[in-house]
Amino acid sequence: MIISRTPLRLPLGGGGTDLPSYYREHGGFLVSAAINKYVDIAVNDRFEDSIRVSYSQTEIVASAEEVRHPIVRQALRLAGIDRGIEIVSIADVPSNTGLGTSSSFTVGLLNALYARQRKDISRQELAELACHLEMDLLGEPIGKQDQYLAAYGGVTCLEFSRSGEVTVSRLRLSHDAADQLESNLLMFYTGIRRSASEILQAQNAATQRQEKPVLSSLHRIKEIGYAIRDCLVQGEVDRFGELMHEHWLAKRQLSTRISDPQIDAWYDLARRHGALGGKLVGAGGGGFLVFYCGSNKRALRDAMHAAGLPEMRFRVDPEGSKILVNV
């Protein structure tokens, strides 16, 4: 029995510049944090010479090629496993809510399968293998942020070269800045679940067409990402909250589908009750709203609760994907 645990992620700044359509021309940069909400994957040898996969559905099939779940099927191919295995996944939050569950699932599954094969794999290799699976083999219109944060954990900066290489650096925060960041970020569930693919496909297409409004917004988002890095390192955490608002305004220029009147109303409500800034987590359209509130957090919590948005409390995960059990 092998059990892996892999964190989800919360983008802090620069998100969207990790897509190949952007970084291949301009280079990309972002800051993101892994959080203590997880995807757990259990892998076990199966007594019968078949494959059982349990997620929101359960499959029992004769071979890897018959597995319907596309990530599991490709992961089994990459690991060279064709039969005689059981895979069970459990996640702390639903899929399609903007926290990168699919990539955390991919990283955690690959980590568990390679541990079963007794193969050492570095965090960099694990992240790139997950990117290869999702982006190249499955053709998902996503970037590299989610896989790298799932593999590395922590509050992490990612620099994307035009060739696609990723430079990873852990953001060194003072204890006071780290405590302030965790304490002042509040996350609320909108109850809206959506696939990011259509929004990201539209962004990719607009970027490839060199549409000026989209490129200008992505350039600004990257600038804000660098500014967020600097203010966090310097301990100016309230300034980060203000930059979140600027980031949200720039992100909304990427697509009319990122927000809607209901999301705008919730965002405005939060701003009236103490939030310096905020954003929808992920590509947009639904999922979780996160706000930075430096003071009077009770007023913000009460306002969101009255609006029907439950809070999900969290902390930063410092470790990334790891093997919990290997027996």
Side-chain angles (χ1 to χ4, degrees), residues 169-182:
S169 56
R170 184 64 57 91
L171 201 62
R172 301 299 178 185
L173 303 179
S174 68
H175 290 301
D176 286 345
D179 289 344
Q180 194 176 349
L181 184 66
E182 286 189 327

Side-chain angles (χ1 to χ4, degrees), residues 227-246:
I228 285 174
R229 176 199 62 186
D230 294 343
C231 74
L232 289 177
V233 169
Q234 294 162 8
E236 300 173 358
V237 187
D238 284 351
R239 174 60 181 151
F240 160 67
E242 297 168 355
L243 287 167
M244 280 188 77
H245 181 60
E246 294 182 31

Side-chain angles (χ1 to χ4, degrees), residues 190 192 194-196 198-200 203 245 247-269 278-291 309:
T190 66
I192 302 169
R194 85 292 174 269
S195 172
E198 291 185 5
I199 295 174
L200 293 175
Q203 181 184 321
H245 181 60
H247 195 283
W248 171 241
L249 295 178
K251 181 176 178 177
R252 288 191 56 187
Q253 302 305 309
L254 296 175
S255 170
T256 58
R257 302 177 65 182
I258 284 176
S259 189
D260 61 31
Q262 178 61 79
I263 292 168
D264 289 343
W266 287 327
Y267 188 91
D268 293 341
L269 178 67
K279 62 180 296 182
L280 271 174
V281 182
F288 286 87
L289 277 163
V290 62
F291 300 104
L309 275 65

